[in-house]
């Protein structure tokens, strides 16, 4: 009975027997993952190496890359194995570990972007006080807060989900997700839903609201200043805004997939939505910052060669 309500493994049902085409999929996954590793590692290394980039803005950008490497490590190695495997079964410990890694990645992204928005707000709206406000100590505390909050609360979410007695073991995703496991519960999941709503609000909606408020304030100030001031301000803010919009769309797609049974309607949509937030931002973010910010571009051989 214990094995029925607390299964030792889960079955990922979205995988199908693709014959020899699976080797093509594996090659695509490998190329994408290598690109993510190369692009993000290059950002981290250039920020670490160049002392002139030891400033809050560039440190926060490198944190985005660290988070991307962390999050994609929770998906791509396992995804590569499952693509080539004939048995798409994942053990219970591996499933909950994957949930923890992917969810902490996804819920750390917006707090990091909120910290970056605050940094740009201080730099543009209070330039004379910037260095007294954005000290290395403040930068370290902001980074610690951006990571600690989701890491702590997702541990609570996963712990609560792992205690649920389950009436099945089929997960209709390419990877383990918390909502997919909770839906299998044989008992009420009201406490799980309440905790999930709190974590979603505090880690997604509140940072998003703060980011929007901050950039609206910046845009209002830019409207009142000279064209040269607007140009310089928008040059540093635009990459952050593009990153925020990109990730917001990606995470919205994942939330939509979790809450609505899209898998019963369109499998292609399900496949795209289920991995978008783990593929698009980790690839796009380093490209945006590496190609648009001159201080990174001219010191990073990878991006300087692209522009030459």
């Amino acid at each position: 009975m214990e094995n029925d309500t607390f299964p030792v493994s889960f079955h990922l049902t979205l995988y199908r027997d693709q014959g020899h085409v699976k080797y093509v999929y594996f090659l695509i996954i490998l190329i994408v993952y290598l690109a993510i590793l190369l692009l993000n590692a290059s950002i981290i290394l250039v920020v670490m190496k160049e002392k002139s980039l030891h400033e809050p803005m560039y440190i926060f950008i490198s944190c985005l890359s660290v988070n991307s490497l962390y999050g994609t490590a929770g998906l791509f190695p396992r995804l590569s194995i499952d693509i080539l495997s004939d048995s798409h079964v994942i053990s219970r410990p591996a499933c909950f570990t994957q949930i923890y890694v992917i969810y902490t990645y996804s819920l750390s992204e917006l707090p990091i972007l909120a910290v970056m928005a605050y940094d740009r707000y201080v730099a543009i709206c209070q330039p004379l006080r910037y260095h007294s406000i954005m000290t290395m100590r403040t930068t370290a505390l902001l980074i610690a807060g951006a990571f600690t909050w989701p890491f702590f609360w997702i541990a609570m979410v996963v712990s609560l989900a792992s205690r649920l007695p389950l009436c099945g073991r089929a997960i209709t995703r390419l990877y383990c997700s918390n909502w997919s496991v909770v839906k299998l519960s044989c008992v009420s999941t009201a406490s799980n839903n309440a905790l999930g709503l709190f974590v979603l609000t505090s880690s997604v909606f509140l940072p998003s609201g703060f980011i929007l408020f901050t950039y609206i304030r910046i845009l209002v100030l830019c409207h009142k200043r000279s064209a040269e001031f607007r140009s310089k301000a928008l040059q540093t803010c635009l990459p952050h805004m593009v990153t925020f919009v990109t990730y917001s769309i990606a995470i919205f797609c994942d939330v939509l997939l979790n809450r609505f049974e899209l898998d019963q309607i369109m499998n292609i949509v399900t496949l795209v939505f289920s991995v978008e937030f783990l593929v698009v931002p980790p690839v796009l973010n380093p490209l945006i910052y590496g190609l648009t910010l001159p201080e990174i571009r001219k010191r990073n051989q990878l991006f300087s060669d692209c522009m030459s």
Side-chain angles (χ1 to χ4, degrees):
M1 182 66 179
E2 184 179 3
N3 285 339
D4 291 336
T5 56
F6 295 94
V8 297
S9 63
F10 295 95
H11 181 219
L12 303 173
T13 61
L14 273 188
Y15 292 95
R16 299 288 186 270
D17 183 12
Q18 301 292 339
H20 293 298
V21 181
K22 66 183 180 182
Y23 298 108
V24 177
Y25 294 151
F26 173 78
L27 183 60
I28 293 172
I29 291 168
L30 182 61
I31 292 172
V32 171
Y33 190 40
L34 289 176
I36 290 172
L37 293 176
L38 179 62
L39 292 171
N40 287 283
S42 70
I43 295 289
I44 296 168
L45 290 175
V46 75
V47 172
M48 290 176 60
K49 180 181 177 181
E50 297 293 336
K51 290 186 178 181
S52 61
L53 299 182
H54 292 178
E55 299 178 7
M57 182 176 76
Y58 300 110
I59 294 173
F60 295 144
I61 291 172
S62 66
C63 285
L64 277 181
S65 289
V66 169
N67 196 43
S68 292
L69 292 179
Y70 166 73
T72 53
L75 171 69
F76 282 92
R78 178 73 203 192
L79 182 61
S80 302
I81 294 172
D82 285 327
I83 286 291
L84 295 179
S85 176
D86 294 326
S87 176
H88 307 116
V89 174
I90 183 170
S91 69
R92 184 183 180 89
C95 183
F96 284 110
T97 299
Q98 188 176 56
I99 290 172
Y100 184 78
V101 172
I102 291 177
Y103 276 60
T104 48
Y105 150 76
S106 62
L107 293 187
S108 294
E109 196 85 348
L110 284 171
I112 295 172
L113 291 174
V115 167
M116 295 171 73
Y118 175 71
D119 173 71
R120 289 301 86 201
Y121 170 79
V122 176
I124 294 169
C125 299
Q126 303 182 46
L128 298 179
R129 299 181 57 204
Y130 178 77
H131 292 291
S132 63
I133 295 175
M134 296 302 298
T135 62
M136 282 298 111
R137 183 175 182 275
T138 301
T139 300
L141 288 174
L142 289 172
I143 292 171
F147 281 110
T148 301
W149 180 266
F151 273 65
F152 172 78
W153 285 109
I154 292 301
M156 298 296 102
V157 168
V158 173
S159 176
L160 202 59
S162 66
R163 299 175 185 177
L164 288 173
L166 307 179
C167 290
R169 65 187 194 98
I171 296 178
T172 316
R173 299 293 292 268
L174 292 175
Y175 56 88
C176 286
S177 73
N178 185 69
W179 182 243
S180 297
V181 173
V182 170
K183 285 192 297 185
L184 300 174
S185 175
C186 304
V187 298
S188 171
T189 60
S191 57
N192 298 76
N193 294 334
L195 180 60
L197 182 61
F198 167 75
V199 175
L200 186 68
T201 301
S202 60
S203 300
V204 175
F205 296 124
L206 288 182
S208 297
F210 177 79
I211 293 168
L212 290 172
F213 171 77
T214 301
Y215 282 122
I216 289 172
R217 291 288 301 273
I218 292 173
L219 291 174
V220 169
L221 179 65
C222 288
H223 181 70
K224 298 177 181 178
R225 304 294 289 272
S226 65
E228 183 181 0
F229 179 89
R230 286 197 298 270
S231 177
K232 290 181 179 179
L234 293 177
Q235 184 180 10
T236 61
C237 288
L238 189 59
H240 304 310
M241 288 188 283
V242 172
T243 301
F244 169 64
V245 171
T246 301
Y247 187 74
S248 297
I249 293 172
I251 201 68
F252 172 77
C253 291
D254 185 66
V255 171
L256 189 69
L257 174 62
N258 273 324
R259 294 298 171 178
F260 298 96
E261 300 297 330
L262 293 183
D263 53 278
Q264 297 179 0
I265 306 172
M266 295 175 286
N267 280 332
I268 296 299
V269 172
T270 301
L271 291 172
V272 173
F273 279 16
S274 65
V275 297
E276 183 183 6
F277 76 107
L278 281 158
V279 176
V280 177
V283 172
L284 201 59
N285 289 352
L287 288 176
I288 291 171
Y289 293 112
L291 295 175
T292 60
L293 297 181
E295 293 301 317
I296 292 181
R297 185 176 66 244
K298 66 185 181 183
R299 290 172 172 80
N300 191 319
Q301 192 68 34
L302 185 66
F303 298 112
S304 60
D305 289 344
C306 292
M307 298 297 290
S308 60

